[in-house]
Amino acid sequence: MGAVIQTEHISKNFGKLRAVKNISLEVDRGEIYGLIGLNGAGKTTLFRMLLGMIRPTGGTVYINGKKIRPGEHNIWKDVGYIIETPHSYPELTVRENLEISRRLRLIPQQKSVESVIHRLNLKEHAWKKAKHLSTGNAQRLGIAKAILAMPEILILDEPVNGLDPAGVVEIRNLLRELALDRGVTILISSHILSEMAKTATKIGIIHGGELLQEMDSKKLCKLFKSYLIVACRDNELALSKLASAGYSPTLNREGLIEIHSEKALRKPEEISRFLVHEGLPPTKLTVREEDLEAYFLKVVEGKEQ
Amino acid sequence: MKYFLTVLHVELMKLRKSRVIWVTAAAFTLAPIMAGFFMFVLLHPEFAKNAGLLGAKAQIAGEADWPSYLILYAQMISVGGILIFGFIISWIFGREYVDKTVRDLLALPHSRSFIVAAKFTAALIVNLVLAAYILSLGLLMGFLMGLPQYSTVILYQGIGLILTVTVLVSILSTPTAFLASFSGGYLAPLGFVVFTLVLSQIIAAAGFGDYFPWSIPAIYSGIAGEGSHTGLGPYPLLMVLATGLVGLLATFLWWLFADHH
């Protein structure tokens, strides 16, 4: 079975600016594909092209195997989306905004509005005008509009922006439930990388309009490197002693000693013993594991160099 | 057709809930009050004498009778309508960009042309309702003042003239919708509305009103003098229709094919 969301060598230029460069990606049914990138990396431009809001300069987008082009509006029946911060009609209530979405999406079941209000915990705000909602609740309303039609595909640009920690967990659980239990295909972008690592089943790193890397979330952890962090009263002296012992240490930005050698990672107690023997007892000795944030920055910095 | 009616219902609901439209309607209420005042002054010359300059200005309205009164309404819509109807259409299209709700209208299971068509239709309905509203107020005041020369023929002719002028001005507001969509807001279209209104007055005063679309409704309504509302010639009518068509097409094409950021 083919990919539900697919781009083939998609590019977008704005004058001389190449916002998206030759991106090909595939998202399969039931997958949560997390796209991570800095501001201006091209995430939103890519999402807009996926939704037919802007036309690619080159390449093709397919949703459910159908090519996106003007007039192919039937495709959007199965797609719910959020682009950047969701906005609603400020003078209308939460319920009225959802009612408008229901009508525009031709959803026959009137109870779908009540059901989504309940699901997104918006019940006590249902009669509030959208302009009086907090950022978090406005975001919830945006998510409610996106899932109102129970679509097969969700394209969500920064959906957890503005949510409190409990809200973030709630939306993560909702998305995982939709993908794992109902087979909804989700393409999501976020700058909260730790959240993305917990939500997505596949991760793509986008930078400068290019898709630098794609990986499975399960394999992602294996890519994260572990290293030792050591601190002594005299880090400079400890560094030279460790170097002469063949551990290849480096000083990091925080002024702490980093040791990446396999030997040291296997037996960190050896490092402790060695430093004590040299009259430099460690004040700190920890094994640190790279997280997605560190890994992302390493990939991005590597590209820039 | 079913989807068009659904979208139209949504558009009218948004308008009904919007404070801007009610404020506009309230502002337009000034028109019948002003017209009623002119007629009152003309009907009561002793008041005009006491009012001095105000009495002289009131002579602009012509005779204090039903035909003049109804023509005055058509003239007010032909000039004020450019501003008011232009404001309404700027709001209908521009607010989607200002409120950033346009994104929710771009990837729907039906063509975006339904959205555009519904917005234009909603604008026309609001324009007609506003015209009917000020006319109703005007009729009430006319009867209360006891204006002479009332007959159903004169009333129907007056209503026909007002309806035609409302439709003409509504047709001319389509380029404003395009500007609201193109510029992504309502400042540029409002600037355009004011500019066309000023220009229409200057060009009409210079005697070239037949060649400037936005002057044509005013000329048709008889603003140039008594008896000038004898009919709309084919060329001015064609010019109004062509302007409306260009605005309509440009708006549809923009919504259907432009990049929406």
Side-chain angles (χ1 to χ4, degrees), chain B residues 186-200:
Chain B
Y186 28 68
L187 278 180
L190 285 180
F192 174 78
V193 164
V194 173
F195 182 69
T196 47
L197 181 66
V198 172
L199 220 58
S200 70

Side-chain angles (χ1 to χ4, degrees), chain A residues 13-46:
Chain A
N13 301 344
F14 296 112
K16 284 181 184 168
L17 175 76
R18 296 185 68 199
V20 170
K21 299 171 196 165
N22 200 30
I23 289 183
S24 297
L25 61 80
E26 290 187 358
V27 190
D28 294 330
R29 183 163 305 282
E31 202 166 57
I32 305 179
Y33 188 116
L35 197 64
I36 57 176
L38 302 171
N39 288 339
K43 302 187 297 284
T44 303
T45 305
L46 178 66

Side-chain angles (χ1 to χ4, degrees), chain A residues 86-123:
Chain A
H87 287 86
S88 301
Y89 295 104
E91 70 280 7
L92 301 187
T93 64
V94 166
R95 188 172 267 118
E96 286 166 342
N97 269 291
L98 287 167
E99 186 57 28
I100 282 182
S101 290
R102 185 186 75 80
R103 285 170 186 266
L104 292 179
R105 295 199 155 268
L106 290 177
I107 304 165
Q109 301 87 0
Q110 286 190 353
K111 63 179 183 184
S112 60
V113 169
E114 287 312 314
S115 151
V116 85
I117 283 175
H118 177 75
R119 190 156 200 184
L120 269 299
N121 285 326
L122 283 165
K123 201 157 188 176

Side-chain angles (χ1 to χ4, degrees), chain B residues 69 117 148 170 223 248:
Chain B
Y69 187 52
S170 299
I223 212 158
L248 206 67

Side-chain angles (χ1 to χ4, degrees), chain B residues 6 19 31 110 116 133 149 154 174 206 212 221 224 229:
Chain B
T6 300
R19 203 178 287 173
H110 280 82
V116 182
Y133 162 66
Q149 291 186 41
I154 286 169
T174 60
F212 187 64
S221 69
H229 52 277

Side-chain angles (χ1 to χ4, degrees), chain B residues 7 22 29 48 59 61 66 90 105 111 151 158 161 163 175 200 216 223:
Chain B
V7 184
W22 295 107
T29 307
Q59 291 299 331
W66 275 103
S90 299
L105 305 176
S111 170
S151 76
L161 181 68
L163 189 68
S200 70
I216 290 166
I223 212 158

Side-chain angles (χ1 to χ4, degrees), chain A residues 136-155:
Chain A
N137 284 327
Q139 194 76 21
R140 281 171 188 272
L141 176 56
I143 297 168
K145 284 195 282 183
I147 66 165
L148 183 65
M150 289 293 161
E152 288 173 23
I153 302 163
L154 280 171
I155 296 177

